[in-house]
Every structure is written in structure tokens, then in C-alpha cells.
Amino acid sequence: MILEQITLGNFRQFRKETISFADGDNGVTVVHGANGSGKTTILNAFTWLFYNEVDFNTRPDRLASEGAMAAADPGDRVEAAVEVEFSHDGVEYFAHRYRVYEKQEAGDFDGIRVDQGVEVRRGEGSGLDAVGNPEETLDKVLPERLSELFFFDGEDIDELAGIDNQEQIQEAIQNLMGLTILERAVSHLDTVAGRFRKKVNEHADDERSEIKTKIENVKNNRDSKQDEKNKAKQAKQQVQSEITEIEGKIQGVKDAERLHNNRKRKEKERESELNNIESVNDSLRSTVNSHAAASLAVPLVRATAKDLDEMRKQGKIPSGVSDEYIDSLLDGQTCICGRELEPGTRHYNHLQSLKGDTVVDGVEQTALQIVGHLRQFATSDDEFETRVSTLYDDREDHENKLNTLDQNIAEIERELSDIEKEGPEGNSVSELENMLQKKRSEIESISQRIGKIIKEIKLLKEKEKDLTREKEKIKIKNEKARVRKAQKQAAQEVKQELQTTFNHLQDKVRQMCNNIIGETFNDVASKSLAAEVDESFKLRIKQQVGDQQVEVDKSTGERQIASLAFVGSLVQIARRRYESDSQTQYFSGGIYPLVMDSPFGALDKSHRREVSRVIPEMGNQVVVFATDSQWEGPVEEEMSEHIGQQYWLNFDSGEKEGSYPQTRIKNDRMRAGGD
Amino acid sequence: MSGETIYYDQTETYSILVDEHEVFEAYYDALVFLAVVGYQEDEYVELESADGEIKLSTVLGTESYRTIITSLAFQHVGEPEALVDRGQQTKIIAGYAAGGERFLQREFKSLPTGPVDEIVSYVRSTRKEDGSKDGILGQIVRSFDDDVLTVSD
């Protein structure tokens, strides 16, 4: 960064003043001013513009010029502003910070702040464009953390070499290197690791263990219910098979009853057939009784009739018939030949005419009777045969029926026998029906129980599903916890790595500082003294005593020299790093101006000379504020050849009526021209 | 005539046929049948003693039995007088009945248990020819009719 120009408008005692800065070989800009003339105000103008920070001992809130406020009427607005033009990395910048006050009444020098802001325009070549983030842009160009190094009050610079200022030294080194970022990163990583640790703790395994136990319990409960359901199903099957058995028994008993009835009916039919057969047999016996002898006697009678016929033909037996026999034939109206003898017919009259013509003889009569009965025997024989045949047919028919019935009955008995083998003993159909009803009720009850268990199982399954989902969530949380743990570990490792790097870089810079400080301090201070930043970041001044270097008490001048040497070393290191080809992420360095307010205040003439010799070497661009007493003599002698710009602050305390404190800035030409 | 009695051998066969199996209604029915069997089988037994008796008139009350008894007597004696000799007739019927009874005892296996079918079978087996008018029997009857009862036109 190279400062080009600063303009202060209505800023404190400055109404409208501009300073242009020197750079390059004659890069020293000296601003001369008596005490209270506004040197520190200009220093504050820089810090206000860049960081919106001021450090005034008197009325720090009153930025607007008293003169401008006095010139304004109540209600008028007065803008206090600082504008700085500078270049950085080949880019031109224009920065403008302002604060607007509205005068409230006559005699109001503070006003009420009604507006404020900052604008930055930048550009390469022609024209500048406003940037969207002016504050960040300014901080990037000249980081606030470095502000104390480059904008410092020389009267306090000796504090760097104070006994307990190692923290300030360390901070200065860190700020310059950009190591603060690393340190912040380390600190932040610590915080992050702590946050991860907390997260890890939040996902304690207790929760997972608890949910696992719950799931296990639900599973066990569900398994138990499943067993219960299986047992109930088995019981249902058992009862169902008992029902089937009872139904079978009932059917068996019914079948048995049906078979018994059937058997009775068949037996009745059989009895009937037996009676029929017996009836046939009776008829047969009757037929035998009435016809068998006659039938069997046909040959006997035939032979007898034949013999008698022969005897009659031979005359051994008379052929006439007795009147008694004729009467019997006429009374019976049937001839011995079987012809009907109706009274009045020719045959009847013929037979009647025979009466009285014959001699009665028993032999002849008997012979005639035998012959006369021949036809009856023949008829009887036929009847016998016909009846017997019929009866035998009938009997065969009945016997067939009987056989069929016997077979039926045997079949029924076999079936009954089977039923009785399988069937219940001593249970009636109604008893079995009662048993059946009970079993059916039992089935109903078991079915209801199974239904209830199924519902319970379903609920348990849903619960298990919910718990499993919860478990998954916990698992994910645990996964996150593991990730957090890994992240914590990673953060710790990164922190460790950064810490190591940080320490290494810090120490490296310290050593680099020491090298430069050694050179600078030796140039300025007594040859027997040496300055260094020790490992605890204390800026120490040591004296060679014999073979040893012993830390010695330092005078204010010596502390100031050491401090300047230290600051100068940092600026040089930053510049060297910036100009080097090193591609480092941290500590890339930079070119910074040094703006020093009264750096010679506490020094004697000798030390002023030495410091003056060092200051131009400290940076490319150095702005020095000095009183005349500080400047005259050795300082002027040593620095004159390095001065590029030189200004004088003319302060009017405004003690006259109608005037107010005001500082005007004049350069060499202006001074030569009229002052 | 009414005083004639048949003395016959009243064996157990009569009891079986009449009392036990009721093949015949009365002992005299069985007696006549057995006598015909005896004639048929040419079995005749001269009875020396008899423990059963039946009035001849009882038997002759049935017309066919009268014919059978007189025929048996005629066939046994071979003389027309036998047709009217009751004494001979009672003796002859008893003799043939005893012969028939002896045949049944010997040949009828079913006699003790129920001989009716065997009796029927036996009777049917003896029917050499039918007794219709067209047979020999018819010719004999027509011969008697023609000679004895001819109606002159």
C-alpha cells in the first residue's frame, strides 16, 4: 500500500486541509507541528478513515470542526470527513468517510449525528468504481490488526520494550504474519472440538441400549403371543377333530339306527317270506295229501282198468249196470265218462232207460267204478303236477326273496358290526349333540381368543416397527455422533497441526526479527548492547559482560530504539515476504507505510541521531510528525536527504472574538511563498 | 263191510309223515300213499302182526282211495272177486303199505327231516305218461263208454 494523499474536511480543527505523501527513495514525509497543533489528530484521521476508530484525549465525540459548526445556523448540517487516496497492488483507491451533524441551536458545537458512512472507489486506469463492501476493502488493504504497528504514537513506542510487554510483542509478530488467523483457527478448532464433544455426549449409547431393550421386550412379547396363537390354533384343530369325531359318531349312531330299522324291516320281510314258504309247503303238503296217492296210483288204476276191460271183453265180467248205480249217475247228473247228464237230454234219457235191464253184481259195479274213476285219476294227476309246479315256482320265488333278504340282513349286520367297532359306547344322539354343541362353543371361544392374539401381535408388530424406526434414528444419531467424534478428532488434529505450524512460523519470524533487530539496534545503540526477542517474546536488551550477555536495565531512549528497531524489523520482514516469490498461504507479507507521531520525544540528541538514521530505512513510506524541538539538530541533519514532502501545521487557538481553533497545513512552497 | 279193519304196522314213519311234518292229514292218508308206493316199487310185506288199525270204511269214504284199494286187491290177487272182497283188501293194503314204508325208510334220505319234496319228486318221477284223454287211459274209458253206455241214435 502506498499513501498518496489525505484530506481532512471539518475534521476537528481542520476545515479543509490536504497532505500529499512522499514515497520511493525519498519516501519520508515530515509533518512539523507544535504540541497541540493537530499531529495526533492527523494520525487519528487515518485510523478513523480506515477503521472508524479515534483516540482523542479531549472531547472524543466531537469530530466536526468547531469553526464549521459555529458558521452553521441551527438546522444546518455539517459534514466531517476524511478522504485518503492510495494505491495498492497497482490499483488506485479513493476512500471517503463522513459523519454529518445537524446543528440544533446557536452555540451548539456538537450537533446531532444525522448521517455517516464510508465509500471506497477503486479502479485501474481511467475512472474509479464504488465497491460494495468498503469496510472490508479497507481492512483488506491495511488490516486493522496491523494498525498499531503502522500508525503509532512515538511517545508510547518504548512500551514495546517494557518488562511485561511480551504479549504485545507476540501479538505484533502474529499480526504481521497473519498468524492471528491461525491462532484464531486453533482457538476456533478448540471450540469446534468442544462442540463435537458435546454432541458426542448428547448421543450417549444409553438411549440406543434402552431402545434395543424395548425392541427386545416387544419381540419377546410378540414371540410369546405367537406361541400362544399357535397353541390356540392347535387347540382349535384338536377341538375341530373332536367335533368331526362326534359328528361321525352321531352319524354312526344315526346310521346304526337306520340299519337297525332296516334290519327289522328286512327281518319282517324275511319272516313274511318264511311264512310264504311255509304256506307253500303247507299247500304242497296238502297237494301231496290230496293228490300224491292218486297221481302215483295212475299206473295201478290204468293197469286194473285195462285188465278189467280185457275180462269184460272175455265175458268174465258182465257189462250191465245196476239200477242203483244208474240212479247215482242220474242224481249226480254226470256220466262215468264225465259227460254232463242234464234231464231231458238224449244221453240222460238213454241212461234212464237202462234201469231194470241188468243183474246187480258187486264185481261188475266195482269194475265200472274203477274205469269210471280213471279220468278222475288222470285229472288228479294233472292237477298234482300243475299245483306242484306252481307251488315250486312260488316257493323258489320266495326262497330267492328270502336269500336276498338274508344277504341284505347279513350286509346290514356287517355294517352294524363296523359301526359298533368304531362307534361310541353308551352315547345317545342327544348326548352326542350336547357334546357337539359344547365343542362348537369351545371352537368359537378359541377363535375369538386367536383373533384377540392376532390383534395384539399386530399392535406389537407396529410398536416394534416404530421402535425400529426410532432405533434407526438413534443409529443415525450415533452415526452422526461417530462423525462428530471423528470431526472432533480431526479438529484436534488440525488444531495440533496448526499449533505446531503456528509455533514454528512464530518462532521463525521471531528469529527473522532478531536478525534485523540485531542489525538495526546495533546501528543505533551502543556497540556493547544487543537487542533480541527471546523465546518468551520479551524484547530484551543485553550487554556483553565477559563471555556472557547479561540483560541490563534500559533507559527510555534505549527502549524506544529497541522498539523502533523491532517495528522496523517487522515492516522489513513484511516487505521482504511480499517481494519474495514464496507462495505461502499465511504470512504473505506486504508493503505498509509507517505513520509515526513524535518518535523522538524521549530521546537525547545522540539517540535522536541514531534513530533518525534508522527511520528512513524502516519502510518505503514513512510519515513522521515532529515538533520543532524534536526535529532541529541531529534529526534534521540525518533525515533531510530522505524527505520527499514536508508540511507545517499552523494552529490558531481561536482565542479572538468570532474565531475558533483551526489548524492550517502548509507545505514548503506555501511556506516559502507567504509564511 | 262196515266192520272191516285194516291192521297195519304203525311205524315211526307214520308219525313223521303225519304228526311231525304233516305231509298227510291222517294216518290213513299216509297208509294209502305208502300202499301205492309199495305197489309201485313192488314191495309187499306179509304182516304177521300189526300195532295200528284203521276202519276200512274210513278209508273207503274217499272215492279215489276206494278205487286204489280195490285196484291193489285186484292186481295183487288177479281175480275179479278181489274187487269186492273186503277182507282181502284190508290185508293187501296193509301189506303194500308196509312195503312202501320199508322203501321210504330205505330210499328217502329226507324222511326224518321233511320228506315232502322227496315225495313230490318221487311221484313226479313215476309219471311215465300223462293221464289225458288222448292217452291209454282215455282209450280205456272210451271203450267202456262205447260198450256200456252206448246211445243208439
Side-chain angles (χ1 to χ4, degrees):
Chain A
M1 178 200 183
I2 297 172
L3 290 169
E4 291 174 356
Q5 183 176 285
I6 184 168
T7 300
L8 295 84
N10 293 329
F11 188 78
R12 300 285 281 190
Q13 67 267 45
F14 296 92
R15 295 296 296 276
K16 189 69 177 181
E17 304 295 337
T18 298
I19 296 174
S20 295
F21 298 103
D23 71 286
D25 292 337
N26 297 318
V28 176
T29 301
V30 181
V31 179
H32 301 274
N35 289 333
S37 63
K39 300 189 295 294
T40 304
T41 299
I42 295 172
L43 189 68
N44 273 289
F46 278 107
T47 58
W48 188 66
L49 176 90
F50 280 99
Y51 317 118
N52 198 24
E53 290 286 343
V54 289
D55 183 17
F56 294 116
N57 291 328
T58 57
R59 292 181 290 195
D61 295 329
R62 184 180 291 182
L63 286 186
S65 159
E66 286 183 14
M69 289 297 289
D73 293 325
D76 286 349
R77 294 185 175 188
V78 175
E79 180 186 277
V82 174
E83 296 169 358
V84 173
E85 293 171 33
F86 60 92
S87 65
H88 181 68
D89 286 344
V91 179
E92 291 295 325
Y93 288 84
F94 169 76
H96 168 221
R97 186 179 292 277
Y98 59 93
R99 187 174 290 174
V100 181
Y101 296 91
E102 188 177 280
K103 185 172 180 175
Q104 300 300 301
E105 56 192 3
D108 176 17
F109 296 102
D110 293 328
I112 292 176
R113 190 190 306 175
V114 292
D115 192 16
Q116 65 176 357
V118 63
E119 60 169 334
V120 174
R121 292 201 295 272
R122 55 167 283 172
E124 294 174 83
S126 60
L128 299 177
D129 298 318
V131 300
N133 47 352
E135 303 274 9
E136 287 177 18
T137 302
L138 290 174
D139 193 68
K140 198 172 179 184
V141 172
L142 195 63
E144 186 179 4
R145 59 187 166 82
L146 301 178
S147 65
E148 288 185 2
L149 282 176
F150 305 116
F151 303 103
F152 65 87
D153 185 348
E155 290 177 358
D156 300 329
I157 189 71
D158 61 312
E159 289 178 3
L160 284 174
I163 296 171
D164 299 319
N165 278 346
Q166 67 265 38
E167 284 183 8
Q168 204 173 339
I169 299 291
Q170 194 171 10
E171 189 182 339
I173 290 173
Q174 289 171 6
N175 280 338
L176 183 73
M177 294 188 302
L179 294 181
T180 304
I181 295 169
L182 279 179
E183 192 185 33
R184 282 178 190 162
V186 169
S187 172
H188 181 65
L189 284 169
D190 235 357
T191 308
V192 168
R195 204 178 298 149
F196 288 149
R197 190 163 47 248
K198 193 178 171 190
K199 290 276 183 191
V200 170
N201 289 337
E202 279 176 9
H203 307 307
D205 283 344
D206 288 351
E207 200 178 359
R208 195 179 180 198
S209 174
E210 190 182 341
I211 201 81
K212 276 176 82 176
T213 306
K214 279 183 183 174
I215 290 172
E216 200 61 37
N217 287 341
V218 171
K219 269 186 179 174
N220 289 339
N221 203 355
R222 186 161 64 83
D223 288 347
S224 169
K225 289 288 173 192
Q226 195 66 44
D227 286 347
E228 201 179 330
K229 188 183 90 176
N230 291 339
K231 281 176 184 169
K233 276 190 169 179
Q234 283 175 359
K236 188 179 174 184
Q237 279 180 347
Q238 175 64 30
V239 175
Q240 189 60 56
S241 79
E242 286 174 10
I243 283 174
T244 306
E245 192 180 338
I246 292 169
E247 284 174 341
K249 284 176 181 176
I250 288 171
Q251 192 57 46
V253 172
K254 284 181 177 174
D255 286 347
E257 283 181 357
R258 180 178 54 76
L259 289 168
H260 276 298
N261 292 336
N262 203 10
R263 183 172 65 177
K264 276 182 187 174
R265 193 171 64 250
K266 295 289 181 189
E267 282 174 345
K268 206 170 180 180
E269 287 177 25
R270 186 178 186 278
E271 190 64 32
S272 173
E273 289 304 324
L274 283 173
N275 289 337
N276 288 337
I277 289 168
E278 191 51 38
S279 177
V280 169
N281 285 337
D282 285 345
S283 297
L284 203 56
R285 279 190 290 271
S286 175
T287 302
V288 168
N289 185 66
S290 60
H291 290 82
S295 180
L296 190 61
V298 167
L300 168 65
V301 175
R302 187 179 61 221
T304 303
K306 194 175 179 182
D307 290 345
L308 289 172
D309 189 37
E310 282 297 323
M311 284 181 170
R312 182 184 61 80
K313 285 177 181 171
Q314 292 170 7
K316 291 180 182 175
I317 298 173
S319 58
V321 291
S322 64
D323 291 344
E324 186 182 355
Y325 184 59
I326 289 169
D327 286 340
S328 71
L329 290 176
L330 292 173
D331 289 345
Q333 294 185 351
T334 303
C335 182
I336 56 172
C337 64
R339 184 183 295 157
E340 288 185 358
L341 298 170
E342 289 185 24
T345 61
R346 189 162 59 87
H347 284 95
Y348 186 90
N349 294 336
H350 172 72
L351 196 56
Q352 199 172 29
S353 67
L354 292 176
K355 286 176 67 175
D357 295 338
T358 59
V359 176
V360 176
D361 188 346
V363 173
E364 294 85 351
Q365 189 172 335
T366 302
L368 283 171
Q369 284 176 342
I370 290 171
V371 173
H373 286 150
L374 266 178
R375 192 177 299 276
Q376 287 180 11
F377 272 84
T379 302
S380 180
D381 185 29
D382 288 342
E383 279 184 17
F384 176 76
E385 180 57 29
T386 302
R387 282 192 190 182
V388 163
S389 292
T390 303
L391 289 170
Y392 271 140
D393 287 345
D394 286 350
R395 197 175 71 173
E396 189 179 2
D397 185 42
H398 291 307
E399 282 174 344
N400 286 339
K401 286 179 180 174
L402 189 66
N403 283 337
T404 303
L405 287 168
D406 284 343
Q407 285 175 6
N408 289 342
I409 289 166
E411 178 67 21
I412 289 167
E413 285 178 343
R414 190 181 58 73
E415 286 183 30
L416 276 171
S417 171
D418 289 345
I419 289 168
E420 284 168 1
K421 276 179 193 169
E422 296 172 1
E425 293 297 330
N427 289 123
S428 67
V429 172
S430 63
E431 285 172 338
L432 289 168
E433 290 284 0
N434 283 337
M435 288 165 67
L436 190 62
Q437 200 56 44
K438 280 181 186 173
K439 292 294 175 188
R440 281 178 178 157
S441 298
E442 207 174 323
I443 281 270
E444 184 65 26
S445 169
I446 292 171
S447 295
Q448 285 174 358
R449 188 149 54 91
I450 288 171
K452 191 181 167 192
I453 294 168
I454 288 171
K455 277 184 186 172
E456 287 173 348
I457 288 172
K458 193 181 172 190
L459 286 174
L460 286 169
K461 272 184 181 173
E462 284 171 5
K463 193 173 179 184
E464 190 180 333
K465 211 181 273 179
D466 289 344
L467 286 169
T468 305
R469 272 198 290 269
E470 205 174 322
K471 184 184 161 194
E472 284 303 314
K473 283 181 188 171
I474 289 167
K475 190 180 172 187
I476 291 166
K477 277 170 77 179
N478 283 336
E479 284 296 326
K480 284 181 181 173
R482 269 195 285 278
V483 170
R484 297 284 182 270
K485 204 170 180 180
Q487 286 171 331
K488 185 196 86 177
Q489 184 72 23
Q492 284 174 337
E493 285 173 6
V494 169
K495 177 202 159 192
Q496 187 64 36
E497 189 65 30
L498 285 177
Q499 188 70 55
T500 305
T501 305
F502 174 78
N503 291 339
H504 172 71
L505 286 173
Q506 189 171 248
D507 197 53
K508 189 177 173 184
V509 174
R510 185 180 63 81
Q511 287 177 4
M512 288 166 72
C513 283
N514 280 340
N515 290 337
I516 295 171
I517 288 168
E519 291 170 12
T520 307
F521 189 79
N522 288 342
D523 284 349
V524 178
S526 166
K527 298 295 179 187
S528 62
L529 296 176
E532 67 166 10
V533 178
D534 68 9
E535 290 181 355
S536 61
F537 291 93
K538 278 186 177 176
L539 182 57
R540 298 180 187 281
I541 298 171
K542 296 180 178 177
Q543 186 171 20
Q544 193 72 30
V545 179
D547 295 334
Q548 291 184 330
Q549 284 197 325
V550 180
E551 188 174 4
V552 297
D553 291 337
K554 296 155 284 190
S555 67
T556 303
E558 285 165 344
R559 286 205 304 275
Q560 196 165 358
I561 292 169
S563 297
L564 285 171
F566 171 66
V567 171
S569 71
L570 292 181
V571 173
Q572 283 188 48
I573 288 168
R575 189 178 64 202
R576 286 177 191 174
R577 294 293 295 178
Y578 179 75
E579 290 170 350
S580 76
D581 296 331
S582 168
Q583 296 289 326
T584 54
Q585 190 172 357
Y586 301 106
F587 188 30
S588 55
I591 295 173
Y592 301 105
L594 270 175
V595 181
M596 296 179 284
D597 182 13
S598 303
F600 317 105
L603 302 177
D604 57 23
K605 279 188 177 178
S606 170
H607 283 115
R608 281 182 194 172
R609 182 178 298 282
E610 299 307 328
V611 167
S612 298
R613 285 167 54 192
V614 169
I615 283 176
E617 305 297 328
M618 286 176 70
N620 283 4
Q621 195 174 36
V622 177
V623 180
V624 175
F625 302 125
T627 62
D628 289 342
S629 61
Q630 291 170 349
W631 181 256
E632 288 169 357
V635 174
E636 185 175 12
E637 290 169 9
E638 292 297 332
M639 291 188 70
S640 289
E641 59 179 311
H642 299 292
I643 293 172
Q645 292 284 0
Q646 197 166 195
Y647 293 89
W648 282 263
L649 305 180
N650 287 341
F651 178 65
D652 177 0
S653 61
E655 292 175 356
K656 292 179 182 174
E657 181 71 23
S659 67
Y660 297 92
Q662 183 176 356
T663 297
R664 290 185 174 82
I665 300 175
K666 295 187 177 179
N667 59 17
D668 288 341
R669 289 185 308 278
M670 291 163 73
R671 200 161 176 255
D675 192 0
Chain B
M1 185 177 82
S2 59
E4 294 297 332
T5 300
I6 302 168
Y7 296 99
Y8 68 102
D9 189 8
Q10 190 179 328
T11 61
E12 192 185 357
T13 301
Y14 288 91
S15 176
I16 290 169
L17 292 174
V18 177
D19 300 330
E20 199 170 332
H21 296 295
E22 298 177 347
V23 177
F24 297 102
E25 292 178 3
Y27 275 36
Y28 67 87
D29 293 322
L31 177 78
V32 173
F33 175 75
L34 288 173
V36 179
V37 171
Y39 171 77
Q40 184 67 29
E41 299 301 328
D42 199 19
E43 295 261 358
Y44 185 84
V45 177
E46 287 287 350
L47 291 174
E48 294 179 357
S49 64
D51 53 0
E53 58 181 49
I54 297 169
K55 289 291 183 185
L56 180 61
S57 58
T58 304
V59 179
L60 294 178
T62 303
E63 198 169 1
S64 60
Y65 288 175
R66 182 196 297 266
T67 303
I68 289 169
I69 286 172
T70 53
S71 294
L72 281 173
F74 175 77
Q75 288 297 325
H76 189 71
V77 177
E79 293 297 333
E81 287 76 18
L83 295 174
V84 293
D85 187 347
R86 299 307 184 201
Q88 279 193 323
Q89 288 173 357
T90 57
K91 188 180 174 185
I92 289 167
I93 195 169
Y96 277 115
E101 193 274 335
R102 191 170 61 187
F103 177 77
L104 255 67
Q105 284 278 3
R106 188 176 67 245
E107 300 296 336
F108 278 42
K109 307 296 182 198
S110 63
L111 185 61
T113 57
V116 67
D117 287 338
E118 207 167 3
I119 288 169
V120 171
S121 177
Y122 173 75
V123 172
R124 296 175 87 181
S125 70
T126 62
R127 296 182 75 241
K128 302 274 175 41
E129 60 177 357
D130 61 31
S132 66
K133 291 176 183 176
D134 294 330
I136 295 170
L137 205 56
Q139 290 175 12
I140 294 168
V141 171
R142 278 195 298 276
S143 174
F144 267 85
D145 285 346
D146 290 344
D147 293 343
V148 179
L149 301 171
T150 297
V151 177
S152 53
D153 295 322

